[in-house]
Amino acid sequence: SVQIVASGSITANTAVMVKSDGTVEGISTVSESNGSMGGASGSNYATGWVRGAYNSSTNKVVVVYQGTYNQYSLKSRVGTVSGTSISWGGEVNVTGGNNEASNPDVIFHPPTGKVFCAYRAQWVSNQKGYANVGTISGNSITWGSNTQWEENAVSEIQCFWDPNVPGRIGIAYTNNGDSSRGKIESALISTTANSCSFPRGGGWGGNQVSANTAARYMRVTRMGDHMALIYCDQGSSYALRVRGLEWNSTSNNGEYQSASSDSNVGNSGIRPDITWDPNYNALVACYTVSADGSDTHGLKIGAITGTGKNATFSWSSELGGGSNMFSNKTNGGTAIEYDAKSGKIWCVMCEE
């Protein structure tokens, strides 16, 4: 048996995590109140592929979405946050015209204050990966020119910023033209103009970071001084896999590299997300459970040993109430994020 010291009171049979001081603390959930709902698109028309980013230093939020009412082109709108409400500016085309595009993601780039958007350009042959850089002024945004970063069709894009590589923005994606393998490209953001470049390969695709199989729903999070990646291995019944990532500045003008093998989370699932809790140096993964046919949410904690691409992970059993599921309601996607201000982890679920 093992004796451990509790940090505060812990109810019997409650899941716990080990803190940095060696004591353990119970895991619980909290609920929060939200402001009233408002239409970011500024119209009653149908939209799709909605993505957003928030800049806490300016209280600005930018939303990018596919205007299904206007030739499926990418639109954007900037809002100013005040308390629990948002005042929105006018609609701006991301690509400079009514060009059909999908699978967007958008992120703020802290060193320059610019906005970066990567997407699937469906108006070009092969539906290649393209990106745009924008600058916010008031409640509006000005976008630069369309820049190609992948010659094959892309899907399930996530943009991320690594503080250890401040000048770049990472793009994690599924390369549909290369057996749907998971890859990461990195964009070099201009400090002056609304533009970006791709020094690794001249805009012709990223480095493979998944197993040599179809990788779906890739998500990247910071993990201390490095990054971590979660994805679904479509070739193995959507098994959830995690790998450490690290930046290699000397390879191909800079690229993210992963471990040569995966950490198996121990479940099959879809639409995962992942975050890092610095208080416990642990990863927390949430996902939609598909293997049992119930389409419920799962939540697991991964203890980290080592760093970078050589990190290893030890995963807990599924946490939460009711049949060990985080939520027992049928659902769509999930999102999870560590909030440094409150020291809590927030999880958002889409219930269908």
Side-chain angles (χ1 to χ4, degrees), residues 122-341:
Q122 295 181 225
W123 77 88
V124 301
S125 62
N126 292 344
Q127 302 188 8
K128 303 170 183 177
Y130 272 66
N132 288 61
V133 177
T135 298
I136 290 176
S137 177
N139 270 12
S140 186
I141 186 168
T142 302
W143 292 98
S145 58
N146 310 314
T147 304
Q148 180 184 321
W149 51 268
E150 171 60 65
E151 63 179 346
N152 291 315
V154 298
S155 62
E156 296 164 1
I157 295 167
Q158 184 209 4
C159 301
F160 63 93
W161 180 67
D162 182 353
N164 300 296
V165 194
R168 303 283 187 107
I169 285 179
I171 310 171
Y173 64 101
T174 296
N175 188 324
N176 295 34
D178 186 17
S179 302
S180 296
R181 294 181 173 91
K183 297 191 176 184
I184 293 180
E185 178 61 289
S186 62
L188 179 62
I189 309 301
S190 170
T191 58
T192 55
N194 285 343
S195 63
C196 60
S197 60
F198 297 90
R200 180 187 177 276
W204 297 100
N207 187 42
Q208 182 174 326
V209 292
S210 72
N212 198 31
T213 184
R216 300 288 310 278
Y217 309 110
M218 297 210 315
R219 305 296 292 177
V220 175
T221 186
R222 182 184 173 192
M223 181 180 67
D225 291 335
H226 299 284
M227 309 295 283
L229 163 76
I230 190 171
Y231 69 96
C232 301
D233 186 347
Q234 188 173 354
S236 298
S237 302
Y238 285 89
L240 292 171
R241 314 289 196 192
V242 171
R243 290 186 176 199
L245 296 172
E246 62 184 43
W247 177 257
N248 186 337
S249 60
T250 62
S251 177
N252 292 315
N253 295 311
E255 65 182 10
Y256 281 96
Q257 297 177 341
S258 69
S260 58
S261 60
D262 297 292
S263 168
N264 189 358
V265 179
N267 288 79
S268 293
I270 58 175
R271 302 185 182 93
D273 200 8
I274 195 167
T275 193
W276 175 63
D277 188 335
N279 298 310
Y280 303 98
N281 190 32
L283 295 176
V284 184
C286 65
Y287 47 90
T288 299
V289 180
S290 58
D292 60 4
S294 62
D295 286 341
T296 56
H297 289 291
L299 186 74
K300 281 195 172 187
I301 297 170
I304 302 169
T305 302
T307 61
K309 68 179 184 180
N310 296 318
T312 58
F313 311 94
S314 300
W315 294 95
S316 69
S317 58
E318 284 183 328
L319 305 176
S323 302
N324 287 328
M325 297 299 168
F326 184 63
S327 170
N328 286 322
K329 299 178 180 179
T330 57
N331 63 88
T334 61
I336 194 167
E337 185 74 22
Y338 172 77
D339 176 26
K341 186 174 181 180

Side-chain angles (χ1 to χ4, degrees), residues 31-104:
S31 59
E32 291 292 318
S33 59
N34 300 304
S36 57
M37 184 179 296
S41 67
S43 69
N44 294 321
Y45 297 115
T47 58
W49 297 105
V50 181
R51 298 292 186 271
Y54 176 62
N55 188 337
S56 59
S57 63
T58 61
N59 283 334
K60 298 291 184 181
V61 60
V62 59
V63 175
V64 171
Y65 51 93
Q66 185 190 62
T68 56
Y69 53 89
N70 194 337
Q71 301 178 39
Y72 296 89
S73 56
L74 284 188
K75 310 293 185 182
S76 63
R77 196 175 286 265
V78 176
T80 300
V81 178
S82 178
T84 57
S85 65
I86 302 175
S87 58
W88 294 99
E91 189 175 76
V92 179
N93 282 332
V94 175
T95 64
N98 294 325
N99 302 311
E100 183 178 356
S102 66
N103 287 261

